[in-house]
């Protein structure tokens, strides 16, 4: 029996990767027959318990799980004992990789990563993020992937570090990796699938973090260490990383210039309005002065007529 424990920072990425693994022949886990908890529910409860005990960030000391969690994990293993290869994916699995490694030597680990810009783009496309919120997202990506890289370097013999985009198209590199690295048999896929990601949002996110050199360095470390980096993915072969981003960058530059021109036009209109207002005020003043002079002249003429 082989158990494949998968983690990635975003729920959608975990769901996508798990679906591709299942299409390759891995089974989805059945729930425990005693607690009726699914594997993902067990992960979520373990995470909630660990965070309530103070383990709120990734990295550092591993959460200490009590006997109850060992029993729940054993129940899950027993429920799936008849399955040859099975597993599940969840972002919070990262917290418990050390636990599963020690709990069952049959566990193998798929560590899924993508660029910080892609993660931030996902977050800002669904949430109103600014200021401290953006800093929290950046810190989460950094902490998550520092811990992922640490675990991989310490356990590369039972782990795979994979750029998310290698699950796209027909994921042709994955079956070979599963066989070569982990001695797992996987069916080759005939149906192409892709994650939707707005390239425009990617470019916007990249501009938001272009000063965060530590993120760029960490992503480079991930790419250099990965069993399947982005350069081997369908995403890269389709040229989306370079060509689309260049085109979008050109479009954004054009939009920036148009916005600058519009602001200049607004300022010129404001200045013209102010000039017109001053001219109107001068005309009104001159008209009042003229009327005053005419009135004074008329008042001076009246006594002469009376004489």
């Amino acid at each position: 029996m082989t158990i494949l424990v998968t983690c990635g920072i975003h729920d959608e990425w975990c769901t996508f990767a798990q679906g591709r693994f299942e299409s390759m022949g891995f089974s989805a886990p059945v729930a425990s027959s005693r607690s009726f908890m699914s594997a993902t529910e067990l992960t979520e409860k373990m995470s909630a318990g660990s965070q309530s005990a103070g383990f709120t960030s990734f990295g550092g000391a591993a959460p200490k799980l009590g006997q109850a969690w060992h029993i729940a994990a054993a129940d899950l293993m027993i429920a799936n004992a008849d399955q040859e290869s099975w597993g599940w994916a969840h972002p919070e699995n990262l917290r418990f990789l050390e636990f599963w490694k020690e709990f069952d030597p049959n566990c193998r680990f798929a560590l899924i990563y993508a660029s910080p810009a892609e993660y931030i783009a996902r977050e800002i496309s669904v949430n109103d993020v600014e200021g401290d919120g953006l800093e929290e997202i950046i810190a989460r990506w950094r902490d998550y992937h520092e811990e992922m890289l640490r675990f991989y370097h310490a356990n590369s013999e039972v782990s795979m570090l994979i750029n998310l985009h290698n699950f796209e198209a027909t994921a042709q590199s994955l079956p070979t990796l599963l066989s070569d690295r982990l001695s797992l048999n996987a069916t080759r896929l005939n149906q192409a699938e892709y994650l939707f990601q707005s390239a425009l949002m990617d470019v916007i996110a990249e501009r938001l973090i272009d000063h965060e050199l530590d993120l760029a360095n960490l992503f480079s470390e991930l790419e250099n260490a990965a069993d399947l980096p982005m350069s081997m993915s369908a995403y890269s072969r389709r040229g989306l990383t370079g060509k689309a981003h260049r085109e979008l960058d050109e479009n954004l530059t054009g939009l920036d210039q148009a916005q600058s021109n519009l602001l200049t036009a607004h300022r010129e209109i404001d200045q013209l309005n102010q000039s017109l207002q001053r001219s109107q005020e001068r005309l009104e003043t001159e008209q009042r002065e003229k009327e005053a002079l005419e009135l004074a002249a008329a008042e001076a003429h009246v006594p002469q007529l009376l004489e």
Side-chain angles (χ1 to χ4, degrees):
M1 178 175 68
T2 298
I3 307 155
L4 187 60
V5 182
T6 301
C7 65
I9 194 171
H10 202 285
D11 286 319
E12 290 182 17
W13 299 348
C14 285
T15 299
F16 185 69
Q18 179 64 21
R20 302 303 270 165
F21 279 137
E22 290 178 12
S23 296
M24 292 178 189
F26 288 85
S27 300
V30 299
S32 167
S33 58
R34 182 158 59 175
S35 66
F36 303 106
M37 278 194 297
S38 67
T40 55
E41 288 172 337
L42 176 59
T43 296
E44 288 166 0
K45 289 184 179 296
M46 290 166 66
S47 176
S50 296
Q51 291 187 59
S52 66
F55 295 93
T56 56
S57 62
F58 296 98
K64 300 298 182 182
L65 300 176
Q67 188 65 25
W69 298 116
H70 285 77
I71 293 172
D75 288 343
L76 182 67
M77 297 296 167
I78 292 170
N80 290 277
D82 294 334
Q83 303 206 77
E84 181 179 350
S85 298
W86 61 279
W88 76 104
H90 196 288
E92 290 295 313
N93 277 344
L94 182 68
R95 295 184 190 275
F96 309 109
L97 299 181
E98 296 285 357
F99 168 81
W100 290 113
K101 183 189 72 170
E102 295 175 5
F103 187 85
D104 194 315
N106 294 312
C107 285
R108 300 293 182 266
F109 306 96
L111 314 177
I112 314 303
Y113 72 94
S115 73
E118 289 177 272
Y119 176 59
I120 292 168
R122 289 263 173 185
E123 292 297 297
I124 65 177
S125 65
V126 296
N127 299 306
D128 184 15
V129 176
E130 58 183 31
D132 293 341
L134 178 61
E135 291 302 317
E136 289 176 6
I137 292 171
I138 290 172
R140 177 177 171 81
W141 187 91
R142 181 190 297 111
D143 293 347
Y144 194 96
H145 291 90
E146 284 178 349
E147 173 58 17
M148 178 182 285
L149 197 58
R150 184 206 64 78
F151 181 86
Y152 177 74
H153 284 314
N155 302 279
S156 59
E157 72 284 357
V158 292
S159 304
M160 301 176 296
L161 185 61
I162 307 169
N163 185 284
L164 171 70
H165 295 292
N166 286 283
F167 288 87
E168 291 189 306
T170 56
Q172 62 181 17
S173 300
L174 274 174
T176 301
L177 176 65
L178 290 166
S179 175
D180 292 347
R181 288 295 310 281
L182 305 181
S183 300
L184 300 176
N185 294 322
T187 304
R188 293 193 174 275
L189 303 178
N190 296 319
Q191 182 176 353
E193 293 184 16
Y194 295 92
L195 269 169
F196 173 76
Q197 176 85 355
S198 168
L200 175 60
M201 295 303 293
D202 282 353
V203 173
I204 292 172
E206 285 173 357
R207 288 191 169 194
L208 289 174
I209 59 172
D210 60 2
H211 60 289
E212 301 282 353
L213 297 181
D214 60 327
L215 298 185
N217 291 336
L218 179 53
F219 182 65
S220 293
E221 286 186 54
L222 289 162
E223 283 284 277
N224 291 332
D227 298 288
L228 290 179
M230 185 167 63
S231 61
M232 297 180 66
S233 69
Y235 182 86
S236 179
R237 288 193 293 275
R238 285 186 295 163
L240 295 181
T241 305
K243 182 180 178 182
H245 280 207
R246 284 194 299 273
E247 291 176 352
L248 285 167
D249 223 5
E250 290 171 1
N251 291 338
L252 285 173
T253 300
L255 288 173
D256 287 344
Q257 185 60 51
Q259 185 178 24
S260 176
N261 293 340
L262 185 60
L263 290 172
T264 300
H266 277 301
R267 284 194 294 269
E268 291 175 350
I269 290 171
D270 287 341
Q271 291 171 358
L272 180 59
N273 284 334
Q274 291 172 9
S275 178
L276 289 172
Q277 184 176 358
R278 287 193 295 270
S279 297
Q280 182 66 28
E281 290 173 351
R282 283 197 301 270
L283 288 172
E284 291 175 355
T285 300
E286 290 172 358
Q287 182 64 28
R288 286 194 298 269
E289 291 175 350
K290 179 181 178 182
E291 290 174 354
L293 289 171
E294 290 175 349
L295 179 60
E299 289 176 347
H301 187 60
V302 169
Q304 296 175 359
L305 293 176
L306 292 176
E307 294 175 356

